[in-house]
Amino acid sequence: MVVVYLLVGTVAGFIAGLFGVGGGMIIVPTLLLTFSMQGYEPAYLTHVAIGTSLATIIVTSISSVRAHHAKGMVRWDIFREMWPGLFIGALVGAAIARQLSSGALQLIIALFAWFVAYKMWVQPAKDEADSTDHLPNSVLQKSAGGVIGVASALFGIGGGSLTVPYLHHFGVRMQQAVATSSACGLPIALAGALGFAGFGVSSSQLPPGAVGFVHIPAFIGISLASAFTAPLGAKLAHYLPAQRLKQTFGVFSLIVGCIFMAKAAAHFQI
């Protein structure tokens, strides 16, 4: 299964750099399938997939943000306002996830992914050349970070699926929104991974190699591969037209939502 983890990391890293999403929307469903094929107990597989995804995003985010920073696209002023809320929110999200069943988590992720797809296709396009951002005050930005952190920890993502639409809504250029989202993924991933590892330590029926809800072999394999491919995705993001990038992001979210809805339906035997 090491080869599978490396392949997942290769794709997830590229997606992370391209969309600023941390790669979690690829990693979580793929790990669920991989763990199921190995015959692990299903009780906490979704939790382990989410926790492992957040741990890998630590590496992916660092690699991706370095590439975006080299292009001068990361809005560090926005990051400074949002990171405290992102970190605290991710810890809270990990605590909430511990209380939910796998099916409930899958259903929540599916609905969220569809909502993001809708927003990306329906939200009117902005004139990227003339747009000026009109971000809210510091308190509201930190609060937005808290909400994004909670949701991201529940979904096992780096927050890009929320951070990118949020920033773009307030007039931040799409390429800058993607780049800044990559930076915002780091506090989410750090807090979320620590939370899932800690809250899951006392759980039974965990797969071999797991520390709490973080699977160490998968973390290592995915991280090694994603560190190389994230910069490639980030480079491509700066050459794509903003509207095309936005629409592609929407299609990607729609597909992920369908995958998780199918898993949730199977869990609840709908």
Side-chain angles (χ1 to χ4, degrees), residues 95-165:
I96 294 173
R98 176 66 178 84
Q99 307 303 318
L100 298 176
S101 69
S102 290
L105 284 173
Q106 291 162 5
L107 179 61
I108 292 171
I109 294 172
L111 294 175
F112 162 72
W114 284 346
F115 171 75
V116 171
Y118 170 79
K119 291 290 289 182
M120 285 289 96
W121 276 89
V122 173
Q123 185 177 358
K126 299 179 185 295
D127 187 339
E128 294 291 327
D130 300 327
S131 64
T132 55
D133 59 76
H134 47 278
L135 290 160
N137 61 43
S138 178
V139 173
L140 290 178
Q141 285 195 64
K142 288 180 172 62
S143 299
V147 173
I148 292 171
V150 170
S152 299
L154 285 172
F155 308 147
I157 60 175
S161 301
L162 283 171
T163 308
V164 171

Side-chain angles (χ1 to χ4, degrees), residues 170-222:
F170 285 104
V172 179
R173 291 172 53 200
M174 190 63 182
Q175 285 85 352
Q176 288 184 341
V178 169
T180 306
S181 172
S182 296
C184 290
L186 185 56
I188 291 172
L190 280 170
L194 288 172
F196 271 84
F199 295 136
V201 166
S202 60
S203 301
S204 59
Q205 299 178 312
L206 294 176
V211 176
F213 293 142
V214 176
H215 192 266
I216 301 303
F219 162 70
I220 294 173
I222 294 172

Side-chain angles (χ1 to χ4, degrees), residues 1 25 35 42 46 68 83 87 102 114 165 196 206 209 217 221 233 249 252 265:
M1 287 298 174
M25 286 190 172
F35 292 155
T46 301
H68 284 297
W83 83 262
F87 189 90
S102 290
W114 284 346
F196 271 84
L206 294 176
F249 187 84
F252 174 71

